[in-house]
Amino acid sequence: MSTAGPQPIRVLVVEDDPVAADAHVMYVGRVPGFVAVGKAHTAAEARRLLDRTPVDLLLLDLHLPDGHGLQLARSLRAAGHHTDVIAVTSARDLTVVREGVSLGVVQYVLKPFTFATLRDRLVRYAEFRGAAGEASGQDEVDRALATLRAPGPAALPKGLSGPTLERVTSTLRDAAEGLTAAGVAEAVGISRITARRYLEHLVDAGRAGRSPQYGQVGRPELVYRWVRGR
């Protein structure tokens, strides 16, 4: 008699940035009930993997080097693939959001995001996917959809705020040579210690890197750089 539990939800990470792709694979692997079955850096590579690997869910970056992520989703639907999609993007164009809904995009995650944010989306997706049987009425249908469509606020580490994170992100992204915590603090108008917390959060999320900068005297400073590739 088999005692095997439910099969994990198989996720393919499609992300052109290798550092971010590795981080997303790691995040998926930390959520019980999910397994990352591969990663692709282009739309073409994603199609090849989907043709030979069973996949339940795409964690799909919308800005790929060989086309927009929604173009990939559209071509998959035309080819008979019914894989659900969680879109990962830094774009905030609601026209794209509306188009994505018709192509099987069940959630959007805005970059940069934390593990807690992605975990929340995946857990909600699993709850929605696991719903079975016949609804007793409109209220039950609404509750099932609310599980998927109405997530709570994105969880940031204690003491960090979304607006300040956006300002730090924008400042670092625009600094081609990178910035120290002190440089970010001056540009954004926060303390150096606070700036370092936000920068370390971006490093943990795979969106920034850091390296020591050695001066003539004293301890080296850490220089933070936005992870580019798009």
Side-chain angles (χ1 to χ4, degrees):
M1 182 175 178
S2 174
T3 59
Q7 293 295 312
I9 296 172
R10 299 161 296 194
V11 182
L12 175 62
V13 172
V14 185
E15 164 65 60
D16 69 317
D17 185 325
V19 174
D22 288 342
H24 298 170
V25 167
M26 179 185 67
Y27 283 176
V28 170
R30 291 171 60 187
V31 181
F34 289 83
V35 60
V37 296
K39 59 184 176 181
H41 300 304
T42 66
E45 187 179 359
R47 291 189 191 95
R48 289 194 295 270
L49 287 171
L50 284 164
D51 285 340
R52 64 174 187 262
T53 306
V55 173
D56 302 307
L57 178 66
L58 286 182
L59 191 59
L60 176 63
D61 182 19
L62 294 188
H63 296 284
L64 300 171
D66 56 346
H68 196 278
L70 291 186
Q71 294 175 339
L72 172 61
R74 187 177 296 107
S75 68
L76 293 176
R77 293 292 177 262
H81 288 285
H82 300 292
T83 307
D84 289 325
V85 177
I86 292 180
V88 177
T89 179
S90 57
R92 290 165 169 77
D93 187 345
L94 292 180
T95 302
V96 174
V97 173
R98 289 195 297 271
E99 182 181 358
V101 169
S102 68
L103 296 172
V105 176
V106 296
Q107 288 277 15
Y108 279 82
V109 182
L110 293 179
K111 295 181 178 180
F113 58 87
T114 64
F115 166 67
T117 298
L118 181 61
R119 179 184 59 199
D120 175 78
R121 301 305 192 272
L122 292 179
V123 167
R124 289 176 179 274
Y125 170 75
E127 291 175 358
F128 177 79
R129 180 184 172 90
E134 185 173 343
S136 61
Q138 184 67 50
D139 287 348
E140 192 168 342
V141 172
D142 290 343
R143 283 195 298 272
L145 290 174
T147 298
L148 185 62
R149 298 294 185 190
L156 285 173
K158 185 177 180 180
L160 302 191
S161 73
T164 303
L165 177 60
E166 288 191 9
R167 285 155 52 206
V168 171
T169 297
S170 177
T171 299
L172 189 63
R173 186 188 288 121
D174 293 342
E177 301 301 320
L179 286 169
T180 63
V184 171
E186 182 178 356
V188 176
I190 55 180
S191 72
R192 182 179 60 82
I193 293 175
T194 299
R196 184 181 296 278
R197 289 193 64 204
Y198 282 94
L199 291 167
E200 288 296 326
H201 167 69
L202 290 175
V203 171
D204 291 341
R207 305 313 302 148
R210 60 175 179 260
S211 59
Q213 176 177 276
Y214 294 91
Q216 293 181 347
V217 295
R219 297 175 60 185
E221 285 189 290
L222 288 176
V223 175
Y224 296 83
R225 294 178 175 82
W226 186 252
V227 174
R228 305 190 184 276
R230 44 188 37 87

